[in-house]
Amino acid sequence: MTAIGSKEPRTVCCRAQRSEPANATGLRELANDRDHKLSVKRQAALLGISRGSVYYLPREVPETDLALMLRIDQLHLDYPFAGSRMLRDLLAGEGMHAGRLH
């Protein structure tokens, strides 16, 4: 048994082991190649990714969300002891309204 925080590798079942994610372009090429011998399901399994990630197209993060995240980071550096509720109240004091679903 290894201690918490040790750098020794742990053994886990093969299903939980994942390779590094492939790039998005390669994944889309998999989804678009209808003539490939292997099905998309099998290709995704061989790459160690979920089939849903083959079809996933990332969306841009809105500027308002980026500004909110930056301000939360700044507040967290100023008040490292602040929890989520205190950060929410600090943001509300500045006129920025954020909640669990903001």
Side-chain angles (χ1 to χ4, degrees), residues 74-87:
Q74 292 168 344
L75 286 172
H76 187 64
L77 290 174
D78 292 340
Y79 306 99
F81 53 86
S84 62
R85 291 182 180 127
M86 185 175 177
L87 289 172

Side-chain angles (χ1 to χ4, degrees), residues 1-84:
M1 183 169 204
T2 61
I4 295 175
S6 70
K7 300 293 182 186
E8 295 178 27
R10 296 182 304 161
T11 57
V12 292
C13 71
C14 60
R15 211 175 172 121
Q17 294 174 347
R18 296 284 183 240
S19 62
E20 290 186 21
N23 65 28
T25 307
L27 295 177
R28 279 192 283 284
E29 288 174 7
L30 283 177
N32 293 330
D33 187 7
R34 302 284 182 205
D35 298 326
H36 199 280
K37 275 184 4 185
L38 294 175
S39 67
V40 173
K41 179 180 178 181
R42 181 70 178 134
Q43 291 177 45
L46 289 171
L47 288 172
I49 58 174
S50 69
R51 193 175 68 205
S53 64
V54 172
Y55 302 102
Y56 174 75
L57 295 174
R59 295 185 298 176
E60 288 188 32
V61 179
E63 288 294 322
T64 54
D65 286 356
L66 291 174
L68 179 63
M69 289 188 283
L70 177 63
R71 187 62 189 136
I72 289 171
D73 287 343
Q74 292 168 344
L75 286 172
H76 187 64
L77 290 174
D78 292 340
Y79 306 99
F81 53 86
S84 62

Side-chain angles (χ1 to χ4, degrees), residues 86-97:
M86 185 175 177
L87 289 172
R88 178 202 59 208
D89 295 341
L90 289 168
L91 288 169
E94 296 177 2
M96 299 177 84
H97 299 285

